[in-house]
Amino acid sequence: MTPKHVAIIMDGNGRWARKFNKERFFGHNSGINAVRESIDTSLELGIKQLTLYAFSSENWSRPSAEVSALMELFMLVLKREVKKLHENDIRLSIIGDRQRFSSSLQKSMSRAEALTRDNSGMHLVVAANYGGRWDIASAAQRLARKVAEGVMSPDAIDETALDREICLSQEPPIDLCIRTSGEQRISNFLLWQLAYAEFVFAPELWPDFDGTAFDAALED
Ligand code: FPP
């Protein structure tokens, strides 16, 4: 059965670059091809929802040159690829705390979302400056605000109420989470949303994760 919603922790760009004696950025840049390929495979197989972990809250602690290079890469990808997403009837959404990104990057993100918001072929969600704990804490904060405003009783705070406030609440549940590079950790990804998901830990480093590897993960 084809899963409706697949989430991917894209890992191994740095190790991939090291294999070629190159800077880590070389791996991130090559990772873009794997992003494209995973979108193409999802379209071919009829996977309607793909969520990708592009940048975690913890990634800010990487060397500043790598963080800046990644930000430039995100800008470039947004500029270069969004038109193609739109032409393919793909809706793009970004989840995470955007306030730490530059205002130009925030603007590009909002523009890309606005352009593609009515597309219904497939939904691509990119998690950027996202952390599962941040997500749960933010949802709790929104509920607390409602209680403080008197529009909600504390007794009404239950799983359904929190679920309504959390990222991806409008989307189908995640059936499968794939992490590449052989690492077997969740790394503060969608902690709440992955409660009932299945996991596949694929051995390939992210830039090597092609259609065949994606098929193998689904088969698994
Ligand atoms: C993990 O590899 C990868 C990242 C932190 C960045 C992922 C970014 C991309 C693939 C490009 C942009 C994507 C989009 C959707 C615009 P790592 O650096 O942790 O690798 P390592 O574990 O081998 O060091």
Side-chain angles (χ1 to χ4, degrees), residues 10-15 24 28 31-32 35 52 54 59 62 66 70 73-74 77 126 206:
M10 308 180 287
D11 195 13
N13 292 348
R15 277 164 282 168
R24 298 173 57 78
H28 297 315
I32 301 285
V35 170
L52 301 176
N59 285 158
R62 294 191 175 202
E66 185 181 352
L70 269 169
L73 190 64
F74 292 151
V77 170
V126 174
W206 177 249

Side-chain angles (χ1 to χ4, degrees), residues 126-140:
V126 174
N129 194 22
Y130 176 87
R133 290 179 175 177
W134 163 84
D135 193 5
I136 295 168
S138 307

Side-chain angles (χ1 to χ4, degrees), residues 12 16 19 35 43 45 73-74 79 83 105-106 125 143 151 156 165 167 185 208 217 220:
W16 190 87
K19 278 203 317 194
V35 170
L43 283 173
L45 298 177
L73 190 64
F74 292 151
K79 282 214 179 94
K83 231 175 104 196
L105 188 48
Q106 289 185 44
V125 176
L143 290 174
V151 294
E165 296 294 334
C167 288
R185 282 176 284 121
D208 290 330
D220 191 349

Side-chain angles (χ1 to χ4, degrees), residues 187-201:
S187 298
N188 201 17
F189 194 30
L190 300 154
L191 299 177
W192 177 277
Q193 296 85 340
L194 288 170
Y196 296 102
E198 292 188 42
F199 284 79
V200 168
F201 298 101

